[in-house]
């Protein structure tokens, strides 16, 4: 898949697993990702995503797997991600 992640991703409210790794996604991660309250796994590894991670990621309280390596994210981790300390 090549392109950006649409802000409309936030409308997929019943989504539990999102694996978009090993694609050519670019641009930033939309803040609407925080609307996916049932999400347990988010894997976006090995893309070309960049920019700051949205603080709305901290709203994903059911997260068990969170993989973002192999991208070009910048800045510091949002403090809202402290909710992820239990993730291995």
């Amino acid at each position: 898949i090549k392109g950006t992640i649409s802000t409309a991703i936030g409308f997929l409210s019943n989504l539990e697993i999102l694996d978009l790794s090993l694609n050519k996604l670019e641009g930033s991660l939309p803040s609407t990702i925080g609307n996916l309250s049932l999400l347990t796994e988010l894997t976006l590894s090995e893309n070309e995503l960049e920019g700051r991670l949205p603080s709305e990621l901290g709203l994903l309280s059911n997260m068990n797997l969170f993989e973002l390596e192999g991208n070009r994210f910048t800045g510091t981790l949002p403090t809202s991600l402290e909710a992820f300390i239990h993730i291995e």
Side-chain angles (χ1 to χ4, degrees):
I1 299 172
K2 185 175 183 174
T4 60
I5 299 175
S6 170
T7 57
I9 198 160
F11 292 116
L12 301 174
S13 57
N14 290 321
L15 198 63
E16 294 181 18
I17 297 173
L18 179 60
D19 185 349
L20 294 173
S21 57
L22 301 170
N23 286 291
K24 294 185 180 183
L25 296 172
E26 56 190 21
S28 60
L29 188 58
S31 60
T32 55
I33 198 99
N35 295 342
L36 305 179
S37 60
L38 299 180
L39 204 63
T40 59
E41 297 182 15
L42 177 61
T43 308
L44 300 171
S45 305
E46 305 302 328
N47 282 289
E48 298 172 14
L49 296 167
E50 59 190 8
R52 294 184 175 270
L53 292 173
S55 61
E56 289 82 1
L57 282 172
L59 299 173
L60 303 176
S61 59
N62 293 314
M63 190 72 66
N64 293 317
L65 178 67
F66 184 58
E67 296 181 343
L68 298 175
E69 71 272 0
N71 288 289
R72 298 184 303 237
F73 291 111
T74 57
T76 58
L77 288 175
T79 56
S80 63
L81 293 182
E82 291 173 0
F84 291 169
I85 7 187
H86 68 280
I87 295 178
E88 295 182 29

